[in-house]
Amino acid sequence: MAGTLRPFVFWGQKNDSISLKIDLRDVTIDNVNLTEDRLETSFEGVGAQGHNKYSFELDFYLPVDTENSKVRTTDRAVEFSIKKKGAEVWPRLTEKQEKLPWLKIDFDKFAFEDDDDSEEDAEKMAAEEIMRKLEKDLKENSVKSIDMKATYLFTYNFLQFVGFLYIVTVLSYNFLKLGSVAKEKAFEMVGYQIMFCQTAAVLEVIHPLLGLVKTGALAPLLQVGGRNLILFLLVLQDVRLQIAPVVWYLLMTWSTVELIRYPFYMFSSIGMDVKMITWLRYTAWIPLYPLGILFEGTIVIMSIPLFEESGKFSLQLPNSANFAFYFPWFLHLYLLILGLGGIQMMKHMHSLRKKKFGSKDSQKKAA
């Protein structure tokens, strides 16, 4: 015989009592312990898992009257009739709001009966009560889901904002302290931080796929993918790129964009619209995006002779795969992709800005 299992338990209620039907055949009651607040049982019989030992425990929603409660066995079930201590409708059977897969509603016995009501009216009241309970549970679950989503998005955007604020602060402070020498040490000073933030930014491609945000996945894929290619496949691979002053300008440009973008999303996740941040979000990209594309393109051009020299990421024939790949050629192609992708990204931002603020013509007409 297998270990102890849970039987299917069907429950119903009247104004003054609870009914339980345990779905077991050829059953023997091993133990029944009924108190005001709890029912503990164990049986041996034939249920959904065949002939086995079955048991379950329930903590009642409200106290019950143990003296006037009864239990009986039939050929097909064990039936409890448990008196409530007060004549009142219970919104659920158990003390805690939990979903027990083995506990089912017995609709045949889920009715409210009193001396003045007909059976039809009682059944109607029971159905209405069940619907109200279901609606309440759905609303509560929906609110919890929205709260969890908003909390997660707010926290993610806040942490990213803090990360990029740290990068801008360190780069600016050292530039003021050391002058142009600080530009050659930009990656040394904040390399780990920018790599962490850009790795975390991959989540922005996943968020729309999971339905956490309403925007599409293409725009963040282009931005995050392009940045990570520059950062991890180029700058990280050669110290000569890391000490190039253009890296300082690129990290400052990226970070300045994010110091505007993340607070915008942070407040949007909780339904707030800070007008200055909103205006900056849809305006600051006009100078910053072209600068970012310029600096990224500069790094790609600088890296081509370095990868020609090192041969890193290139695959030459003969080899077992019978396939050749020359990474510098890919970088030449990527310059074209960078230009076209940058234009597409700026068109996308222009479209969002136009949608948010309207065109100049419409603003003049409105004036």
Side-chain angles (χ1 to χ4, degrees):
M1 211 172 337
T4 302
L5 303 168
R6 303 292 189 194
F8 284 115
V9 180
F10 297 86
W11 80 283
Q13 70 169 317
K14 299 178 183 179
N15 283 341
D16 61 349
S17 66
I18 293 292
S19 69
L20 298 177
K21 183 174 75 173
I22 294 85
D23 187 16
L24 291 173
R25 291 179 287 109
D26 301 328
V27 63
T28 301
I29 298 177
D30 292 336
N31 175 59
V32 170
N33 182 21
L34 178 64
T35 66
E36 289 188 350
D37 303 313
R38 183 175 173 84
L39 172 62
E40 298 178 354
T41 68
S42 62
F43 312 94
E44 184 173 336
V46 180
Q49 302 295 323
H51 189 266
N52 269 298
K53 286 187 177 294
Y54 294 86
S55 68
F56 70 90
E57 304 82 33
L58 289 172
D59 292 312
F60 294 119
Y61 181 75
L62 289 174
V64 300
D65 183 354
T66 58
E67 293 184 1
N68 295 307
S69 299
K70 299 176 182 179
V71 59
R72 72 186 184 109
T73 60
T74 68
D75 292 338
R76 303 189 63 82
V78 179
E79 297 179 349
F80 285 85
S81 178
I82 301 172
K83 285 289 184 181
K84 300 177 181 177
K85 278 204 166 182
E88 109 180 57
V89 176
W90 291 6
R92 60 180 181 271
L93 177 63
T94 55
E95 178 185 16
K96 295 181 180 179
Q97 185 171 341
E98 54 186 343
K99 183 172 179 60
L100 303 173
W102 46 270
L103 184 62
K104 313 290 184 181
I105 293 178
D106 188 349
F107 288 98
D108 292 336
K109 295 186 178 181
F110 210 101
F112 306 104
E113 298 177 356
D114 55 38
D115 295 338
D116 297 325
D117 290 330
S118 67
E119 185 176 348
E120 183 179 349
D121 291 339
E123 291 177 354
K124 183 178 178 181
M125 290 171 61
E128 290 175 351
E129 182 66 24
I130 292 170
M131 290 304 298
R132 283 197 294 269
K133 180 67 171 59
L134 289 173
E135 288 176 2
K136 181 181 178 183
D137 288 346
L138 286 172
K139 287 179 180 179
E140 289 177 353
N141 292 334
S142 177
V143 169
K144 287 179 182 178
S145 176
I146 292 171
D147 288 345
M148 289 179 62
K149 182 175 78 170
T151 301
Y152 165 74
L153 291 174
F154 183 91
T155 304
Y156 167 78
N157 288 295
F158 174 74
L159 292 176
Q160 286 288 78
F161 168 74
V162 171
F164 282 102
L165 179 62
Y166 173 84
I167 292 167
V168 168
T169 302
V170 170
L171 292 178
S172 301
Y173 172 78
N174 282 279
F175 176 71
L176 293 174
K177 181 180 178 181
L178 302 175
S180 59
V181 176
K183 296 179 181 179
E184 300 176 358
K185 297 183 177 182
F187 194 80
E188 178 185 342
M189 291 184 290
V190 297
Y192 288 112
Q193 289 78 15
I194 192 68
M195 286 190 289
F196 177 84
C197 290
Q198 282 304 131
T199 301
V202 174
L203 290 172
E204 294 170 36
V205 182
I206 300 173
H207 290 165
L209 299 177
L210 296 178
L212 294 176
V213 296
K214 296 180 180 180
T215 56
L218 180 60
L221 177 63
L222 291 173
Q223 186 177 57
V224 175
R227 284 188 181 185
N228 285 352
L229 185 149
I230 298 294
L231 184 61
F232 291 100
L233 292 188
L234 302 186
V235 176
L236 183 62
Q237 303 303 321
D238 198 305
V239 69
R240 288 170 290 183
L241 289 175
Q242 295 171 18
I243 63 174
V246 68
V247 172
W248 185 91
Y249 289 105
L250 178 64
L251 297 185
M252 283 293 288
T253 303
W254 283 356
S255 300
T256 303
V257 169
E258 306 304 25
L259 289 184
I260 299 168
R261 193 169 68 92
Y262 283 117
F264 172 77
Y265 288 134
M266 188 170 65
F267 289 119
S268 296
S269 68
I270 56 174
M272 289 182 61
D273 182 11
V274 181
K275 294 189 181 301
M276 178 56 71
I277 293 177
T278 300
W279 183 84
L280 286 171
R281 165 62 182 146
Y282 291 105
T283 306
W285 66 269
I286 297 173
L288 292 175
Y289 275 27
L291 283 174
I293 294 168
L294 174 64
F295 297 141
E296 288 181 24
T298 301
I299 289 176
V300 172
I301 293 170
M302 292 175 61
S303 68
I304 290 174
L306 301 180
F307 283 95
E308 288 176 341
E309 174 187 324
S310 68
K312 187 175 288 188
F313 300 137
S314 294
L315 187 63
Q316 295 182 349
L317 292 172
N319 57 65
S320 58
N322 197 29
F323 172 78
F325 175 74
Y326 192 50
F327 190 60
W329 288 354
F330 167 77
L331 293 179
H332 281 94
L333 176 62
Y334 183 73
L335 283 173
L336 177 62
I337 297 173
L338 179 64
L340 295 176
I343 292 171
Q344 196 64 32
M345 180 65 69
M346 287 187 285
K347 283 184 177 179
H348 172 71
M349 290 303 300
H350 175 71
S351 175
L352 292 179
R353 190 177 195 278
K354 190 175 179 181
K355 183 177 179 181
K356 187 70 176 179
F357 299 123
S359 63
K360 291 182 179 180
D361 291 338
S362 62
Q363 290 175 356
K364 288 178 181 179
K365 289 179 181 176

